[in-house]
Amino acid sequence: MATAATPATNMAMIKPCISSSRKVFMSSTASFSTESKEASWNRLTSSSHISSSFRSIFSAPIKFKKVVTRAMSSENENKPLPGLPVDLRGLTWRLSHVAPEFAISLENLNSRYAAIPGHMFLCGKRAFIAGVADDNGYGWAIAKSLAAAGAEITVGTWVPALNIFESSLRRGKFDESRVLPDGSLMEITKVYPMDAVYDSPDDVPEDVKLNKRYAGSSKWTVKELVESVKQDFGSIDILVHSLANGPEVTKPLLETSRNGYLAAISASSYSFVSLLKEFVSIMNPGGASISLTYIASERIIPGYGGGMSSAKAALESDTRVLAFEAGRKHKIRVNTISAGPLRSRAAKAIGFIDMMIDYSLANAPLQKELSAEEVGNAAAFLASPLASAITGAVVYVDNGLNVMGVGVDSPIFVDLDIPKDN
């Protein structure tokens, strides 16, 4: 039941909404009496952490306009403010959600006022990123972008890499890499041991069970992992698959063994099917699942062998099928990002990553080296309400290299007037 109208004016005011690890902004209400306007302004500046020097930008007395009183019930107090959760206004901050007649420009303010936090459009969401084992891969970058958007972060780390990863986190080795745009550090709520090649304990071979690299860890198969997350948190909203492995990746396909080929498929594509199959039961409707693919799925990349190109093709095909099935049954969106080359530790194992980066710089429409952050930001977009109608898609984040039909750095094109970034 709506509350009765009073002589006070209800206006929306920014208020920090605390999730487990991030401060984000949600709407609440503040009441400004028409009887004491100057006092109201003082309360506004105090509660919004606006310093006295901020007020000094107004050379004339502030005029408060009388506005129509709007009754607000508890039912709509937590509704988001209108407008897209993205700020494209540069250094202009409009206090339209405080009072429409105020528009405050930051251009002439001290630089400290320019560091306004970004919009937290994933506030209250929980993400699980599978395949984070260091701080320089796409999985880490995606975790950072999701955290910057307000999501709570949990990760799954391959069991043999777990001790080193957790130790590095504890000792602060990753602190520089954890810094978010607002200056705070990304918090990882929990790190889970994981090996997505095995669905249940019955699938684990005896030699793996006895392997000293797995000693001391438990509940790391896919089903056990999901059950642990369920017990700890109940549900998640975002699932990210950032893992791949091809034991014979350096071998041409004609020299790849059956075991090597199937191992690449198992670790790099079926693992996504398995994770989503188990996680979907604890994912909230409207959630999103994202994986990482590579253009070798549809183009020939010599040196990317061992069945890995086939695994990426399978991953993209599975993305479309899973988008249909998970969308119809659970209202979950499924997309994959085709990312360009990155100098990550995993990529260096292939042996020719530097050549691929150089090739991209010479031939892509955008002549710059791709950053992990750019892929992370694309993932945050796909996980957000802004992408609510996007599913089953392969989203290219590669400076446009995927659209090229020829390598323009070839001597054949030397006489053409091809624009270059000098």
Side-chain angles (χ1 to χ4, degrees):
M1 183 176 69
T3 58
T6 66
T9 302
N10 286 327
M11 298 180 183
M13 181 184 77
I14 294 176
K15 161 179 121 169
C17 169
I18 310 299
S19 65
S20 63
S21 61
R22 301 280 301 130
K23 288 187 178 181
V24 295
F25 296 97
M26 296 187 69
S27 62
S28 182
T29 61
S31 179
F32 290 84
S33 173
T34 56
E35 297 176 358
S36 180
K37 301 179 178 68
E38 179 60 26
S40 297
W41 173 250
N42 291 333
R43 288 197 298 273
L44 170 63
T45 57
S46 174
S47 62
S48 299
H49 306 288
I50 301 175
S51 72
S52 58
S53 60
F54 196 79
R55 294 182 57 192
S56 66
I57 65 172
F58 296 100
S59 57
I62 299 167
K63 294 182 179 180
F64 287 80
K65 294 181 180 179
K66 190 172 183 179
V67 295
V68 178
T69 300
R70 176 168 61 89
M72 301 186 72
S73 66
S74 58
E75 182 177 90
N76 59 18
E77 283 180 354
N78 293 322
K79 287 184 178 179
L81 294 168
L84 285 174
V86 171
D87 194 344
L88 300 178
R89 297 167 296 183
L91 294 181
T92 298
W93 183 29
R94 296 186 62 84
L95 293 180
S96 57
H97 41 310
V98 178
E101 61 268 33
F102 291 86
I104 301 175
S105 173
L106 298 179
E107 292 177 359
N108 299 320
L109 298 181
N110 189 284
S111 61
R112 67 178 178 271
Y113 293 121
I116 293 178
H119 286 270
M120 304 298 179
F121 50 84
L122 293 177
C123 174
K125 304 297 183 182
R126 181 177 297 112
F128 181 88
I129 299 96
V132 179
D134 56 44
D135 65 339
N136 72 344
Y138 284 135
W140 178 273
I142 291 172
K144 280 187 67 176
S145 291
L146 294 177
E152 180 181 9
I153 304 300
T154 62
V155 303
T157 301
W158 187 46
V159 181
L162 181 66
N163 288 336
I164 294 177
F165 180 68
E166 289 189 315
S167 174
S168 297
L169 276 175
R170 285 194 304 269
R171 292 188 290 110
K173 185 177 179 181
F174 298 151
D175 282 359
E176 185 176 350
S177 301
R178 289 170 58 203
V179 177
L180 298 175
D182 66 357
S184 64
L185 297 183
M186 173 180 67
E187 297 293 340
I188 298 177
T189 304
K190 188 162 184 178
V191 179
Y192 291 89
M194 181 194 73
D195 192 329
V197 168
Y198 306 108
D199 295 327
S200 69
D202 293 338
D203 299 326
V204 183
E206 197 63 29
D207 63 318
V208 174
K209 292 179 181 178
L210 299 176
N211 191 311
K212 63 180 182 180
R213 296 195 298 173
Y214 287 76
S217 295
S218 61
K219 298 182 179 180
W220 43 261
T221 64
V222 173
K223 290 183 178 179
E224 292 174 304
L225 165 68
V226 175
E227 184 58 33
S228 295
V229 174
K230 181 180 179 180
Q231 290 177 3
D232 291 339
F233 299 103
S235 65
I236 66 170
D237 303 278
I238 301 162
L239 172 65
V240 177
H241 177 274
S242 178
L243 57 96
N245 183 48
E248 299 180 17
V249 66
T250 57
K251 290 185 179 181
L253 188 57
L254 279 174
E255 298 176 14
T256 300
S257 69
R258 182 183 297 273
N259 286 339
Y261 185 94
L262 294 178
I265 295 287
S266 175
S268 308
S269 54
Y270 185 76
S271 58
F272 180 52
V273 178
S274 178
L275 283 166
L276 185 56
K277 174 185 175 183
E278 299 300 330
F279 265 113
V280 76
S281 63
I282 65 168
M283 291 184 72
N284 296 315
S289 184
I290 302 163
S291 65
L292 290 168
T293 185
Y294 183 49
I295 199 171
S297 62
E298 54 186 293
R299 301 282 191 270
I300 299 169
I301 307 293
Y304 193 75
M308 281 302 301
S309 58
S310 306
K312 293 302 185 182
L315 181 64
E316 293 178 16
S317 178
D318 292 342
T319 294
R320 291 184 283 272
V321 177
L322 292 171
F324 173 75
E325 295 181 357
R328 288 294 184 96
K329 294 180 181 178
H330 304 282
K331 294 181 173 60
I332 301 298
R333 295 181 294 107
V334 184
N335 294 291
T336 188
I337 294 174
S338 184
L342 176 74
R343 286 188 179 90
S344 65
R345 291 187 182 92
K348 288 178 182 177
I350 300 174
F352 65 98
I353 187 63
D354 291 334
M355 287 186 290
M356 293 306 300
I357 291 174
D358 291 341
Y359 180 85
S360 179
L361 282 169
N363 294 286
L366 300 177
Q367 287 189 272
K368 62 182 180 63
E369 188 167 334
L370 182 70
S371 72
E373 181 184 10
E374 290 171 309
V375 173
N377 290 342
F381 160 72
L382 289 173
S384 79
L386 294 177
S388 60
I390 300 176
T391 193
V394 177
V395 178
Y396 296 91
V397 184
D398 62 357
N399 288 325
L401 186 63
N402 70 93
V403 305
M404 299 302 297
V406 296
V408 295
D409 62 343
S410 170
I412 295 175
F413 303 108
V414 68
D415 294 329
L416 293 182
D417 186 20
I418 297 175
K420 294 181 179 180
D421 184 0
N422 295 321

